[in-house]
Amino acid sequence: MSECTSVDVKALCHDLRNVKAALEAGFAYLQSPTEGEKAKSLCDQGLQRLDNILDELQSSLDACEDQGEVQ
Amino acid sequence: MEAACRNDVVESSRPSDCRGKRLSVLIVDDDAMTRDALSLSCSNMPGLDANVLVASTIEEALAILSTDCVQVMLLDKHLGRDSGGMPVDGISFIPEFLEAQPELQILIVTGMKSFSDCVEAMRLGAFGYVPKDTPQDYLAEQIKRACEHSMLKNKQIRIDRGEQRSRSHIEFPGNSQAVKKLRSSLAAVAETSRPVLLNGETGTGKTTAAKWIHQHRESLFKEKDQPFFALNMGALPSNLIESELYGYERGAFTDAKSARAGYIELANGGTLFLDEIGEASLDLQSKLLKIIEEGKFIRIGGTTERKSIFKLVCATNRNLERMVADGTFREDLYMRISTFVVTIPNLVDRKDDMPEIIKAVLKKCCEDNSRFVAYRDLPEDLIAYLVENPPRGNIRGIEQFLSRLLVHAPRDSRGRPVLTNWARIRELRVQKSRRPKGVTPISIEELRTRSIDFLDPQFPGAPALTDEINNSLMMNVLESTGTQRAAARVLGITQGLISQRLQKIKTKEARL
């Protein structure tokens, strides 16, 4: 169980912008015959990174709910 | 030069660094996913034929900048942590990047939207500040603009450093067999990336030939505005030539307040013309060997090995083979620069071209002296005179003659030069080449270094030989200067001594 700590909003924004840039680039070239593979891998990486961010947020939220204080 | 020495015949595909339209974009980001995303976007942006390079740390980025020519850098602000656990701020390294490559344009591409970071980046010399989630077409537009700025900056640096590139088309006037052969030889050697050695008397047009090769390569490889740098090896002292050629790092010597790229670096992608190569010191010759062999060099006071790819054209009016035999020119350097030797014909061999040459030179002289005369206004006897009496100094001699003619000729009521009585203009005394063809005087340096064969049965003994040399030198100077007073000044002796010696010579001749 993780500790109830305040989320670093700056770092979160930074990470989410990285994810958005990766997903945008990935989606843009998904249909490209030459770059399709690279684009798919980029989308996978972006989604994986998004999962990690959500997991982290969820566990932080759970920890705070357990202590009765939602950040 | 690296490619120049590797490829034997024709460069079919040219390197992608500074040449042609292809630009290089360097992505500096510690996050692999972001590097991949930006790399994918930059490689596929419509209208942007970019060679994409990536670096995850500052060190990697600096290493790339030292070897590759990069126009645009996409730099992240947060570059992870250093070995001491401290966060690395990409923005603070902007001055270092710009010192490594002054024409580089840096775009901060970051996940943070911070006004103060933006201000700081621009203050330090960044080209722009773009958030990572910005639309792709906006990023592409920014990269294109940054690239244009980089090209302009590069051009400005080249102009500041005295690039001698000709904007107008270079051509050898005339259609004689000699000039046709010259054109085809130059075209053939222009195709190869190997060095070329141009031989020829002074004033025959060796610099023009080097520029012709450069322009021919540009049209051959469909490239525009490639650098052309020329350096006269005899015009500067050895240590200055070295810093001009190799450039230097900040603090390399007392006056080196900032780093400066040398001609070798600036000529990357273009042509480097080393005039009077025979004047290069032995020390400099050994250093030139390295750049010719490997295409790599180190700035003075630096430690980073850099790379430059250029066409090397050397020129000389000296006999390099003889210099090699005398030990004053390195044989290994001679072997490398003399794969292709093109001899530029002198005026005597181009008599058929003389009217065309005079026409071309007259145009230049009119511009230089602000006196405008059409070729048809030149008296026919003047042209015939020049054809029969080619002035000393070949084409440069004609240029001198026509300049004097335009400036010293009397003017009519509208201020135009009147050329009909050209023969009466005193200043037009043509310095005819009195020297028999193929005989070049021995240089002072050669005279000092070579020894006299005293075992030769014709050796008359020291006093008679020195007398003979003195007399011959005096006669040559008299012939060239025209008066005893001027000859005395040149020789550093009294006019009385000259007339005394002349008297002796006359008496001796009368006795014989």
Side-chain angles (χ1 to χ4, degrees):
Chain A
M1 173 87 58
S2 57
E3 276 181 57
C4 173
T5 51
S6 61
V7 174
D8 183 351
V9 183
K10 264 191 178 179
L12 189 64
C13 274
H14 183 260
D15 277 355
L16 285 172
R17 284 208 180 94
N18 277 351
V19 171
K20 188 185 170 199
L23 289 176
E24 258 183 2
F27 287 140
Y29 300 103
L30 212 47
Q31 302 297 324
S32 160
T34 51
E35 305 284 8
E37 280 302 309
K38 266 190 213 169
K40 190 175 173 299
S41 147
L42 208 52
C43 287
D44 289 343
Q45 281 182 60
L47 290 172
Q48 182 63 50
R49 186 76 68 90
L50 203 54
D51 275 347
N52 293 345
I53 294 170
L54 285 172
D55 283 350
E56 214 175 294
L57 276 175
Q58 188 61 58
S59 44
S60 174
L61 197 64
D62 290 347
C64 293
E65 271 178 352
D66 286 346
Q67 286 181 22
E69 45 173 296
V70 178
Q71 296 288 328
Chain B
M1 277 308 307
E2 194 189 32
C5 296
R6 274 202 309 252
N7 301 350
D8 281 349
V9 191
V10 181
E11 283 178 312
S12 52
S13 61
R14 313 196 79 192
S16 60
D17 41 21
C18 278
R19 298 181 179 211
K21 283 181 267 177
R22 198 133 199 249
L23 71 111
S24 283
V25 176
L26 172 62
I27 297 162
V28 187
D29 202 310
D30 62 321
D31 185 61
M33 185 185 71
T34 313
R35 284 201 304 273
D36 289 349
L38 285 172
S39 171
L40 186 66
S41 302
C42 290
S43 312
N44 294 284
M45 274 174 188
L48 194 76
D49 183 17
N51 169 41
V52 180
L53 304 158
V54 289
S56 59
T57 61
I58 297 291
E59 291 73 28
E60 275 180 36
L62 285 170
I64 289 173
L65 289 180
S66 70
T67 53
D68 291 78
C69 185
V70 179
Q71 280 82 31
V72 184
M73 177 190 272
L74 305 184
L75 175 66
D76 189 20
K77 176 184 157 58
H78 295 288
L79 288 168
R81 291 178 183 276
D82 61 14
S83 50
M86 297 297 287
V88 179
D89 181 2
I91 291 176
S92 65
F93 287 91
I94 291 174
E96 215 164 315
F97 293 140
L98 291 179
E99 193 171 318
Q101 265 187 36
E103 66 266 43
L104 177 72
Q105 299 298 318
I106 301 173
L107 273 170
I108 303 296
V109 182
T110 175
M112 310 293 271
K113 284 182 184 173
S114 160
F115 182 71
S116 58
D117 279 349
C118 177
V119 171
E120 179 64 0
M122 302 308 272
R123 192 183 67 80
L124 291 174
F127 177 76
Y129 186 92
V130 185
K132 276 181 183 164
D133 58 345
T134 205
Q136 295 254 322
D137 51 351
Y138 179 73
L139 181 64
E141 198 54 44
Q142 287 293 306
I143 293 174
K144 272 184 220 163
R145 281 189 53 222
C147 182
E148 282 166 17
H149 272 250
S150 172
M151 302 285 188
L152 282 173
K153 189 82 192 285
N154 179 273
K155 211 179 268 183
Q156 185 206 330
I157 291 169
R158 278 160 44 187
I159 292 168
D160 287 350
R161 290 297 307 278
E163 186 186 14
Q164 293 184 8
R165 197 172 181 283
S166 286
R167 304 290 152 199
S168 55
H169 180 65
I170 299 272
E171 195 47 275
F172 285 95
N175 271 307
S176 65
Q177 279 305 315
V179 86
K180 278 183 190 165
K181 195 178 158 207
L182 173 67
R183 275 191 212 116
S184 68
S185 303
L186 291 177
V189 298
E191 285 177 13
T192 90
S193 49
R194 277 180 173 267
V196 176
L197 178 63
L198 302 173
N199 255 336
E201 282 181 18
T202 180
T204 45
K206 296 188 285 292
T207 308
T208 308
K211 286 180 180 170
W212 194 96
I213 290 175
H214 178 71
Q215 283 193 350
H216 191 76
R217 280 173 73 78
E218 278 190 329
S219 59
L220 199 68
F221 297 113
K222 295 187 174 53
E223 294 174 343
K224 271 185 186 172
D225 206 26
Q226 295 301 308
F228 176 91
F229 277 92
L231 185 64
N232 188 325
M233 308 297 275
L236 293 170
S238 169
N239 56 338
L240 268 182
I241 287 189
E242 215 178 305
S243 69
E244 284 296 308
L245 267 181
Y246 292 89
Y248 50 82
E249 295 291 356
R250 189 173 49 186
F253 42 86
T254 321
D255 283 339
K257 290 188 176 69
S258 60
R260 186 163 125 131
Y263 283 5
I264 286 175
E265 204 170 335
L266 291 166
N268 190 15
T271 305
L272 179 64
F273 174 49
L274 300 182
D275 202 0
E276 310 289 359
I277 186 78
E279 308 300 321
S281 66
L282 282 169
D283 181 41
L284 189 62
Q285 287 175 29
S286 64
K287 285 174 182 160
L288 282 173
L289 205 60
K290 185 173 165 68
I291 177 81
I292 295 172
E293 262 180 352
E294 302 168 24
K296 289 176 183 165
F297 68 98
I298 298 172
R299 284 182 182 176
I300 297 170
T303 50
T304 317
E305 202 163 56
R306 292 163 191 271
K307 202 172 78 180
S308 182
I309 302 167
F310 53 85
K311 171 85 173 172
L312 180 68
V313 181
C314 300
T316 186
N317 56 9
R318 296 182 68 175
N319 187 337
L320 288 188
E321 274 184 32
R322 196 196 291 166
M323 288 180 73
V324 169
D326 294 345
T328 49
F329 200 85
R330 284 182 70 114
E331 189 174 9
D332 40 10
L333 179 63
Y334 177 68
M335 294 310 289
R336 273 164 188 87
I337 62 172
S338 64
T339 314
F340 298 107
V341 181
V342 179
T343 303
I344 317 290
N346 53 26
L347 275 189
V348 179
D349 300 327
R350 293 180 65 190
K351 276 195 169 179
D352 296 348
D353 297 329
M354 280 292 266
E356 285 294 312
I357 293 171
I358 294 170
K359 204 174 186 178
V361 174
L362 177 69
K363 199 177 158 202
K364 186 175 177 287
C365 289
C366 286
E367 283 165 11
D368 290 351
N369 298 294
S370 305
R371 305 276 203 286
F372 296 95
V373 168
Y375 178 71
R376 61 174 182 277
D377 294 336
L378 289 183
E380 274 179 28
D381 58 335
L382 184 142
I383 295 169
Y385 177 79
L386 278 176
V387 173
E388 285 312 312
N389 304 281
R392 188 188 295 173
N394 291 292
I395 295 173
R396 201 170 292 130
I398 293 184
E399 207 177 309
Q400 275 188 357
F401 180 91
L402 292 177
S403 291
R404 286 192 200 124
L405 175 76
L406 293 173
V407 171
H408 293 295
R411 316 272 193 91
D412 64 9
S413 55
R414 285 182 299 164
R416 283 164 52 85
V418 180
L419 307 176
T420 39
N421 287 329
W422 64 273
R424 288 193 189 165
I425 302 171
R426 259 187 67 210
E427 288 81 359
L428 279 189
R429 205 176 56 206
V430 176
Q431 291 185 315
K432 270 171 64 182
S433 186
R434 292 187 178 92
R435 208 178 295 144
K437 196 184 158 191
V439 178
T440 45
I442 190 165
S443 74
I444 305 298
E445 196 190 324
E446 254 179 302
L447 190 68
R448 281 190 184 129
T449 51
R450 298 188 74 179
S451 62
I452 287 167
D453 183 9
F454 52 84
L455 297 175
D456 191 322
Q458 285 184 354
F459 180 63
L465 183 68
T466 43
D467 260 6
E468 212 174 296
I469 293 171
N470 271 331
N471 289 345
S472 158
L473 180 65
M474 184 183 74
M475 294 309 286
N476 280 339
V477 177
L478 265 173
E479 209 170 88
S480 161
T481 54
T483 64
Q484 286 190 19
R485 182 191 277 187
R489 210 180 306 130
V490 171
L491 291 166
I493 56 175
T494 61
Q495 206 177 322
L497 191 56
I498 289 185
S499 55
Q500 204 184 328
R501 276 191 184 157
L502 278 174
Q503 197 58 46
K504 263 190 189 173
I505 292 169
K506 269 183 195 166
T507 322
K508 199 175 165 188
E509 276 174 357
R511 235 189 291 145
L512 283 170

